[in-house]
Amino acid sequence: MQQGVFNILPMDRVVYGQPAAAAVAAEVERLGASSVFLIVSETLATQTDEIDRVQAALGNRVAGTFSGVPAHVPRPAVIEAAAQARAAGADLICTVGGGSVTDAGKGVQICLAHDVTEAAQLDALHIRPQPDGSLQNPLIARGGPTIRQISVPTTLSGGEFNAMGGMTDLATQRKHAYGHPLITPRAVILDPAITRHTPEWLWLSTGVRAFDHTVEALCSKTPNAYTDGTALHAMTLLMAGLAACKADPEDLEARLTTLQGVWLSIAAVQAGTPMGASHAIGRALGGACGVAHGHTSCVLLPAVMRWNRTVNADQQARVAAAMGHPGAEAADVIEAFIAGLGQPTRLGEVGIGPDKFALIADAAMADRGIRANPRPIEGPAEVLEILQLAA
């Protein structure tokens, strides 16, 4: 008999299909905030009027705006943003941008809650996998933030819907996870119109990242009826939405369909279903080698599926059937889907050769997802096997 626990995160609401600026202003009013610190995409801030619209809608409730978040959220950028938010007396964080911007907002919440002013102070706060597969999370004992966050995502990796965020330690080139229920945004605003500024490669590749959530949920060691149901419908929405966006980038209905697919795709993560090696090695690939977040799933998911097939062939058959190819190898179907979106499917296509494999394998072994992979990974040698499959 299955046993488990379903976690309901402290998120108030999801607002969808409404213009971002008006929706942000309405949420700020609802929450009674008077000093909103904006953390935003530099591209949106410098090349569009979207952030100007948000600032105009908020008026004198804007405490400050930070737009200097690089990819993979290096800790010094978070420290800098937190210092500005602290000096401004912020009572709410609002993020507008992709996954790095969203995670930076979570990091700022942690820094404000625990008086973090130097990057080294974050060493004691990140999640640490234990030898028995459990996770040691120092933030649970220390408490969560009192200054919360609302988010307007412009990419599709889904971080706005979960209680974890990542930051990269530049000294070790490792991306660490930080988690507490209260870093979950109180409100998420899904505006398809604002996402039209997102470069196509970034939109589609992060969509594959969301698709990766659905696949690793369906192939997990600990599936359940709820996560299977949400993952299967998310898969349907993502396949349809991404294909339609590829055909017509101005199709707002397709963009909203894709955003809603992301919303559903992350339900398994919210419920505590662990992601496996594709996510674990992907985080190492991003932190150690700078590969874009979405592209890590594009190049790793098919290889991980091939490596895992000896232990979850039945689950993989379900994935292939859900994708419209019953009887086919799921890894082949997924790889064709990714290639059809014009995204890379091999490590060499993102500039990663065998000379980096040992570095990536070593970094991956410290990731929580390694212990959750359906086929046991005992050490770097098994990660190297997966990397060879992805080469």
Side-chain angles (χ1 to χ4, degrees):
M1 180 182 296
Q2 286 188 342
Q3 294 184 346
V5 174
F6 178 77
N7 303 296
I8 298 175
L9 297 179
M11 176 182 286
D12 296 350
R13 60 206 289 175
V14 178
V15 180
Y16 55 92
Q18 299 182 25
V24 166
E27 288 305 301
V28 169
E29 182 69 25
R30 180 180 70 85
L31 295 171
S34 60
S35 186
V36 182
F37 189 77
L38 299 170
I39 303 176
V40 303
S41 156
E42 185 172 19
T43 299
L44 288 179
T46 59
Q47 299 180 24
T48 79
D49 64 354
E50 298 290 356
I51 305 306
D52 292 338
R53 292 182 187 183
V54 173
Q55 292 171 326
L58 292 177
N60 61 10
R61 289 175 292 190
V62 176
T65 302
F66 183 87
S67 61
V69 182
H72 303 294
V73 201
R75 298 193 305 185
V78 176
I79 298 295
E80 182 181 350
Q84 293 185 24
R86 187 181 294 112
D91 61 6
L92 182 69
I93 307 297
C94 175
T95 60
V96 184
S100 293
V101 170
T102 302
D103 275 9
K106 295 177 181 181
V108 167
Q109 290 182 78
I110 293 167
C111 291
L112 294 179
H114 299 288
D115 298 319
V116 174
T117 58
E118 297 180 0
Q121 291 174 269
L122 291 167
D123 289 338
L125 301 178
H126 69 76
I127 293 171
R128 290 174 171 80
Q130 301 303 295
D132 64 358
S134 65
L135 301 177
Q136 182 186 61
N137 187 350
L139 283 177
I140 297 300
R142 293 173 181 243
T146 56
I147 297 171
R148 298 285 300 279
Q149 175 175 340
I150 63 175
S151 291
V152 182
T154 60
T155 59
L156 298 168
S157 54
E160 61 277 0
F161 289 110
N162 71 44
M164 287 189 183
M167 289 182 269
T168 298
D169 179 351
L170 295 181
T172 63
Q173 289 298 302
R174 292 191 176 180
K175 194 170 187 178
H176 296 298
Y178 300 78
H180 191 282
L182 292 177
I183 68 171
T184 309
R186 287 193 66 176
V188 174
I189 296 161
L190 303 179
D191 172 16
I194 199 173
T195 71
R196 291 178 299 176
H197 305 291
T198 304
E200 182 186 68
W201 74 267
L202 182 58
W203 179 255
L204 297 176
S205 68
T206 54
V208 174
R209 185 68 167 181
F211 191 82
D212 195 350
H213 300 330
T214 72
V215 174
E216 290 216 303
L218 287 166
C219 295
S220 167
K221 292 192 294 186
T222 56
N224 62 62
Y226 175 81
T227 58
D228 279 1
T230 52
L232 284 167
H233 191 48
M235 185 177 286
T236 299
L237 293 175
L238 287 166
M239 289 181 66
L242 290 169
C245 288
K246 176 69 174 174
D248 180 6
E250 295 299 314
D251 186 341
L252 293 185
E253 286 295 333
R255 287 180 174 272
L256 183 57
T257 293
T258 310
L259 286 164
Q260 291 177 322
V262 174
W263 179 11
L264 276 175
S265 79
I266 209 70
V269 177
Q270 289 177 326
T273 300
M275 300 291 98
S278 179
H279 282 72
I281 303 172
R283 285 185 285 263
L285 186 59
C289 300
V291 175
H293 194 53
H295 280 165
T296 65
S297 285
C298 293
V299 300
L300 287 170
L301 180 57
V304 169
M305 294 289 281
R306 292 185 175 104
W307 196 81
N308 282 341
R309 191 180 182 281
T310 57
V311 300
N312 61 5
D314 289 347
Q315 290 163 290
Q316 293 201 23
R318 193 178 184 191
V319 170
M323 295 183 70
H325 296 275
E329 292 292 333
D332 295 341
V333 177
I334 292 168
E335 187 168 343
F337 169 63
I338 295 168
L341 295 174
Q343 300 307 301
T345 60
R346 296 287 168 177
L347 286 166
E349 295 177 69
V350 294
I352 302 299
D355 60 308
K356 298 288 181 64
F357 286 4
L359 172 68
I360 297 164
D362 184 57
M365 289 306 302
D367 191 277
R368 63 194 184 277
I370 288 294
R371 302 291 188 274
N373 194 62
R375 181 178 169 186
I377 295 176
E378 303 296 340
E382 287 87 355
V383 178
L384 288 171
E385 290 177 7
I386 295 171
L387 293 173
Q388 291 290 351
L389 289 172

